[in-house]
Amino acid sequence: MKAHDGMYIGGQWRPAAGPDTIAVVNPADEQVIGHVPAGTAEDVDAAVRAARAAFPGWAATGPAERAARIAALRDVLVARADEIAETVTAELGAPLALSQSVHAGVPILVAGSYAELAASYSFEEKIGNSTVLLEPVGVVGAITPWNYPLHQVVAKVAPALAAGCTVVLKPAEDTPLTAQLFAEAVDEAGLPAGVFNLVTGLGPVAGQALAAHEDVDLVSFTGSTAVGRQIGATAGAAVKRVALELGGKSANVILPGADLAKAVNVGIANVMSNSGQTCSAWTRMLVHEDQYEEAVALAAAAVAKYVPGERVGPLVNAKQQQRVRGYIEKGVAEGARLVAGGPAAPHETGYYVSPTVFADVTPEMTIAQEEIFGPVVSLIEYADEDDALRIANGTVYGLAGAVWAADEAEAVAFARRMDTGQVDINGGRFNPLAPFGGYKQSGVGRELGPHGLSEYLQTKSLQF
């Protein structure tokens, strides 16, 4: 798609307040594919004012009508799915097949789920002599990351709209074209002017202005834990609600007796998807000492199938490429055994990193503690289940994870002891209605399904 040179505010594309722009680069060939405005505090203020003006009317709109509008938006996304996939591939570098199935397909699924929820959700209940009302929070400032440029937008905007909130979106500067396409879809779906607004720009400028704006009632942010702390502090100073989906260092625990080959292959696929740029990726593979070397061999064979430029795309930008290569170098320096891949770039052009597998990783190593956000897997040996649990819970994060066992009940018992927000049992399927979010420094709040909707509601009780 062609980039817009303005902001989508109050139901129309408006010129930006300032002259500065941001270049959008295709990470596969390092070519500039467009420019978008670098929004200022003035742009953010205009968008928030438009959202505030639209809020009373949208909040008073019945759930059935809100559901119909979200369903219409979903239908536009379906009609434009090919364009969405091509846009994501151009600005993120994801292989087209992944863009079609995940980057376009999952947001459509999530939007549909909120169309259904908006129509069926109970926004009031009776408790004794009280009627409890669930009302929209107000104006939502949504700040989204680049790794899933449409999914993260829909996962915030759809429940906010279903709740009766209005939204100002500040997307990541690396992938703004997908957000502009979403704004076009909102317009085509006929949502009332000001219900959804888009401001492109840099995080420290537009993002900070949105988080700090006095007329924003809730800030929903997905990104790094470091930036999440800053946003939480800004919002806290104004006693403003936040929903924070942050970093992860998820453990893939393979218990003795599990189907080792399947667990290893699925685990490698999980990390290689989206070039490892997934906060919930199972980047630590925990294997019992009796099966460890077999698992190492299986992992090396599995990762060989992920060829950069074919099944694995580039990282989003040069800074991210250098960051991930730096972690690989640190893993080698700290004594981990390099089984596959390494720090050398596999291509001269494009921000590619070789899919990498480390063995002999100890829980204290940097690559076992810090979020790398690239196609890097660390195999860690454990002695027994208590040891595995200690290692799995032994980071500041708690976003996701996996457990494999021959006996499902054994896997569930282990998962119940994990300090993490979501656990897949023996390769459990994605559920768009299940709550997603983390423990500890992986965040505050939940996304998806009814739990995601509840983030955008506040409670009032009437006594009779």
Side-chain angles (χ1 to χ4, degrees):
M1 66 169 286
K2 183 179 179 180
H4 287 273
D5 59 4
M7 310 295 188
Y8 185 74
I9 297 175
Q12 59 184 317
W13 293 96
R14 300 183 185 180
D20 294 340
T21 62
I22 299 169
V24 183
V25 177
N26 184 329
D29 59 17
E30 304 181 38
Q31 298 299 304
V32 174
I33 57 175
H35 292 81
V36 299
T40 65
E42 185 178 347
D43 293 306
V44 169
D45 183 63
V48 173
R49 283 188 283 109
R52 177 57 63 191
F55 174 66
W58 184 246
T61 301
E65 176 61 20
R66 295 202 298 265
R69 298 284 187 167
I70 298 169
L73 174 58
R74 184 270 320 276
D75 292 344
V76 175
L77 296 178
V78 170
R80 301 185 70 172
D82 288 343
E83 185 181 2
I84 291 168
E86 291 166 1
T87 302
V88 173
T89 290
E91 63 180 356
L92 181 63
L96 185 59
L98 181 70
S99 292
Q100 291 168 332
S101 62
V102 175
H103 290 289
V106 172
I108 289 169
L109 187 66
V110 171
S113 75
Y114 278 113
E116 295 178 5
L117 268 172
S120 62
Y121 195 84
S122 178
F123 290 93
E124 64 177 72
E125 63 176 326
K126 291 283 189 180
I127 301 178
N129 66 308
S130 300
T131 297
V132 179
L133 308 178
L134 298 176
E135 300 181 336
V137 169
V139 174
V140 173
I143 303 174
T144 55
W146 45 260
N147 59 327
Y148 289 92
L150 184 60
H151 169 62
Q152 293 291 349
V153 168
V154 171
K156 297 182 187 304
V157 175
L161 297 181
C165 298
T166 55
V167 181
V168 177
L169 169 67
K170 204 299 286 183
E173 51 264 34
D174 289 292
T175 54
L177 301 183
T178 304
Q180 288 190 340
L181 196 159
F182 179 79
E184 292 180 359
V186 165
D187 197 69
E188 189 176 339
L191 268 75
V195 168
F196 170 82
N197 307 272
L198 170 68
V199 175
T200 55
L202 301 174
V205 180
Q208 175 63 21
L210 183 58
H213 199 288
E214 63 182 6
D215 221 11
V216 169
D217 299 295
L218 182 150
V219 180
S220 180
F221 169 79
T222 297
S224 72
T225 297
V227 176
R229 288 193 192 99
Q230 296 172 9
I231 289 176
T234 298
V239 196
K240 184 179 303 186
R241 285 177 58 172
V242 294
L244 304 174
E245 199 269 277
L246 308 175
K249 195 68 185 175
S250 301
N252 179 20
V253 182
I254 307 173
L255 297 177
D259 185 334
L260 185 64
K262 182 179 180 181
V264 171
N265 277 277
V266 173
I268 292 293
N270 174 276
V271 178
M272 295 304 124
S273 178
N274 213 41
S275 305
Q277 299 171 131
T278 303
C279 54
S280 57
W282 309 334
T283 52
R284 295 181 297 146
M285 185 180 294
L286 278 56
V287 185
H288 189 269
E289 57 191 11
D290 291 344
Q291 297 178 299
Y292 187 74
E293 287 304 328
E294 183 182 357
V296 170
L298 286 168
V303 83
K305 303 172 185 176
Y306 292 87
V307 179
E310 296 178 14
R311 292 186 68 180
V312 179
L315 301 188
V316 70
N317 55 38
K319 180 180 179 181
Q320 185 68 11
Q321 180 193 40
Q322 291 304 313
R323 179 178 185 272
V324 173
R325 291 172 67 182
Y327 271 112
I328 296 172
E329 291 170 350
K330 180 159 284 192
V332 172
E334 291 184 359
R337 178 176 23 133
L338 193 60
V339 174
H347 299 298
E348 292 184 3
T349 303
Y351 307 127
Y352 292 93
V353 170
S354 295
T356 298
V357 173
F358 279 109
D360 301 342
V361 177
T362 63
E364 298 76 22
M365 287 183 180
T366 302
I367 59 172
Q369 288 292 320
E370 298 184 10
E371 185 175 42
I372 298 172
F373 227 60
V376 182
V377 181
S378 296
L379 272 74
I380 303 173
E381 181 179 313
Y382 68 85
D384 54 34
E385 286 197 14
D386 287 341
D387 191 34
L389 185 70
R390 176 187 64 81
I391 296 169
N393 290 341
T395 75
V396 298
Y397 299 110
L399 186 56
V403 182
W404 302 80
D407 179 10
E408 184 177 287
E410 180 186 9
V412 170
F414 189 94
R416 286 179 178 275
R417 296 198 291 161
M418 293 175 71
D419 297 334
T420 192
Q422 190 172 81
V423 184
D424 290 357
I425 304 298
N426 288 337
R429 293 179 294 111
F430 172 70
N431 178 2
L433 296 178
F436 178 77
Y439 287 19
K440 300 188 286 187
Q441 293 188 27
S442 284
V444 176
R446 292 296 182 268
E447 292 185 331
L448 304 180
H451 291 271
L453 176 57
S454 68
E455 293 291 332
Y456 299 91
L457 296 168
Q458 56 190 349
T459 306
K460 176 188 293 180
S461 64
L462 309 177
Q463 281 62 250
F464 294 90

